[in-house]
Amino acid sequence: MDLYDFPEMGRGDLRAMRLAIDGAFRDFTRAYGETLENLFDPIRALLVLIETLMINSPWVVVLAVIAALIWIMSRSWKIVAGTVLAMLLIGYFGMWEDTMRTIAMVAVCTLVAIVLGIPIGILMARSDRLNAWVTPLLDMMQTMPSFVYLIPVVMIFGLGKVPGVIAVVIYAIPPIIRLTNLGIRQVPADVLEAAEAFGSDAWQKLRNVQLPLALPTIMAGVNQTIMMSLAMVVVASMIGVRGLGQPVLQAINNQYFTLGVMNGLAIVAIAIIFDRATQAYGKRLQKHSEIGHD
């Protein structure tokens, strides 16, 4: 056997393995795809509900609610004024409905990421073994090209809202997991010892000491998750997720410069609003935690 036959044999084996994996995955999607899709019906219903409320409600009411939420988080009139101005410009240029769809998508994806990510981060902080296992997985999730996440979800769920939510959550969840883990691990040991001295059990220490002190770091993770969700929503437009990403995709396909730039600027405006509001809220939490610790 010639030495140069080995590369060809290796390629043949690799092709056979790829075909076997692809076939097994197709069989899995045909057998369990509908069942898995039914599991995500509550998420779809929540997304449809939020979208419907934001699109069908009077724009003045929606704008007032958004401004109130931004004020509650930031307590800054400058950020509120910037939010109102940006939203008025978005409506003036005819991008209101797509913007509402995008905000609803980001809100649901961020909520799902928080519900899943914070408990995982807590478990990682309490178990070094779990931390060692999950950290490489998070590294892979953050370095994997975002388009790759679309392949398995489309094969299982097809096109639409559910595969979009799943792809966005997978792409955006690592920061909230990492920073929850980091925030809890950074709680000073003397504070934990004092809590133990007062008779606190593990759950009481977590609820009354670790989570409040880690909350500013966790909010930084929420901020990064929101930013990554916004970025992935544009990519998810390729699988039928409606919002500001679809006009951008249309502009790329048809070389519509103005359409792409305007919708891109709308995405930037939403990102800045979310970023400034969550950062301001995180700083307020930081001050409160420092005062409480002192």
Side-chain angles (χ1 to χ4, degrees):
M1 183 180 295
D2 192 352
L3 179 64
Y4 295 102
D5 290 338
F6 280 100
E8 187 65 34
M9 291 175 59
R11 284 195 293 270
D13 294 340
L14 182 60
R15 182 172 181 275
M17 182 177 68
R18 288 203 306 265
L19 291 174
I21 294 174
D22 289 343
F25 192 75
R26 288 194 194 95
D27 293 340
F28 174 80
T29 58
R30 290 168 185 166
Y32 301 103
E34 186 176 355
T35 302
L36 291 174
E37 190 170 357
N38 292 335
L39 292 176
F40 290 94
D41 279 343
I43 295 177
R44 182 197 289 110
L46 177 62
L47 179 56
V48 170
L49 175 63
I50 296 176
E51 271 190 8
T52 303
L53 285 175
M54 297 187 73
I55 293 173
N56 295 337
S57 300
W59 68 268
V60 175
V61 175
V62 176
L63 183 58
V65 171
I66 292 175
L69 290 175
I70 297 299
W71 165 252
I72 291 172
M73 294 182 66
S74 66
R75 301 297 172 88
S76 169
W77 287 113
K78 291 183 179 179
I79 297 177
V80 173
T83 299
V84 172
L85 178 61
M87 299 303 293
L88 288 175
L89 288 174
I90 285 171
Y92 178 78
F93 287 108
M95 298 178 290
W96 182 264
E97 185 171 328
D98 285 337
T99 301
M100 295 301 101
R101 294 184 188 278
T102 298
I103 292 176
M105 186 73 172
V106 171
V108 171
C109 292
T110 302
L111 177 62
V112 174
I114 290 173
V115 170
L116 296 177
I118 290 180
I120 295 173
I122 292 172
L123 292 175
M124 289 175 64
R126 299 173 72 90
S127 172
D128 291 334
R129 178 176 295 179
L130 181 63
N131 182 63
W133 278 98
V134 176
T135 298
L137 181 61
L138 296 178
D139 294 338
M140 183 186 70
M141 291 169 65
Q142 289 189 290
T143 54
M144 184 77 72
S146 56
F147 293 94
V148 176
Y149 293 120
L150 304 181
I151 300 172
V153 294
V154 169
M155 291 181 67
I156 297 175
F157 302 103
L159 304 178
K161 300 180 185 297
V162 169
V165 170
I166 295 172
V168 172
V169 169
I170 293 174
Y171 180 75
I173 200 172
I176 187 68
I177 297 175
R178 287 185 184 277
L179 289 173
T180 299
N181 178 25
L182 178 65
I184 293 177
R185 287 179 178 270
Q186 286 183 336
V187 174
D190 57 342
V191 177
L192 296 177
E193 291 174 359
E196 290 177 356
F198 282 99
S200 298
D201 57 24
W203 167 246
Q204 290 172 330
K205 285 193 297 182
L206 176 65
R207 183 186 62 185
N208 299 327
V209 179
Q210 290 175 304
L211 282 178
L213 292 179
L215 203 52
T217 306
I218 295 174
M219 277 305 302
V222 173
N223 175 281
Q224 293 302 307
T225 294
I226 292 173
M227 296 300 104
M228 294 181 71
S229 296
L230 265 174
M232 188 61 185
V233 162
V234 178
V235 177
S237 65
M238 299 176 62
I239 58 173
V241 175
R242 300 179 64 184
L244 292 170
Q246 281 196 332
V248 173
L249 183 63
Q250 181 184 356
I252 293 173
N253 293 332
N254 298 283
Q255 299 182 7
Y256 295 153
F257 174 76
T258 305
L259 179 66
V261 169
M262 288 177 61
N263 283 271
L265 289 175
I267 294 170
V268 170
I270 296 172
I272 292 174
I273 291 169
F274 285 155
D275 179 66
R276 296 296 184 271
T278 52
Q279 280 194 9
Y281 186 62
K283 289 179 181 177
R284 287 174 52 213
L285 291 176
Q286 182 72 44
K287 291 179 181 178
H288 291 163
S289 65
E290 289 176 354
I291 293 173
H293 181 54
D294 292 341

